[in-house]
Amino acid sequence: SRTIGLAHPLSVFVPWTPRLGTEVVPDQPLTLLLQGKWNQVPLTIGTVKDDALLFVYSAFETPMSDFAFQLLGGVIFFPYGSNVTSMYPVSGSDARPSLSSLGTDFLLFCPTRAIVQLMRNISTQPMWFYRFDHSLSFVDSWGDDLPFCKAPGVVCHGSELPFIFGSATL
């Protein structure tokens, strides 16, 4: 079981991310964008349909109750928790699919869309924004450790990469 910090919930899953204050990432990316300190090149950016599912199911290995989902939403989105979680109703006895949808929107899709909207105003470079929703037909690529990514219709984080890079493996 992993400990997830509410301020940086993805840090437990992506510990190899660049560090701020280095030559590679000298400041917050948003700050650098607003200051015009970025490479003015064409941009392709996007998310996948179930982007947060991999992270949610890795963090919560057993089904989550609706109560736990409401409690978590209440803490993260205080004082608007019930307003937010009501937009992601729990169907059945496991709230992880709802948490995955909420996480995909909150942590990945909406921030990516906001960056694209900002960059349209500050850049003349061409941009392509995608939302990948194609379920892989070669689901064995996920291996045995990620059975939730093999479920029919699921499009886990990184599923678009074989199509971007012309590879049949993840």
Side-chain angles (χ1 to χ4, degrees), residues 39-55:
N39 292 330
Q40 298 281 335
V41 296
L43 173 70
T44 300
I45 188 170
T47 62
V48 303
K49 181 176 75 76
D50 302 304
D51 237 330
L53 188 132
L54 171 65
F55 306 112

Side-chain angles (χ1 to χ4, degrees), residues 65-78:
S65 70
D66 182 54
F67 175 77
F69 174 64
Q70 299 302 326
L71 185 63
L72 185 61
V75 169
I76 294 171
F77 298 104
F78 181 81

Side-chain angles (χ1 to χ4, degrees), residues 4-22:
I4 300 172
L6 296 179
H8 304 283
L10 293 180
S11 64
V12 71
F13 302 104
V14 287
W16 55 86
T17 59
R19 300 280 183 221
L20 294 181
T22 65

Side-chain angles (χ1 to χ4, degrees), residues 25 27 99-100 105 119:
V25 186
D27 203 345
L99 181 59
S100 296
D105 289 348
M119 291 183 73

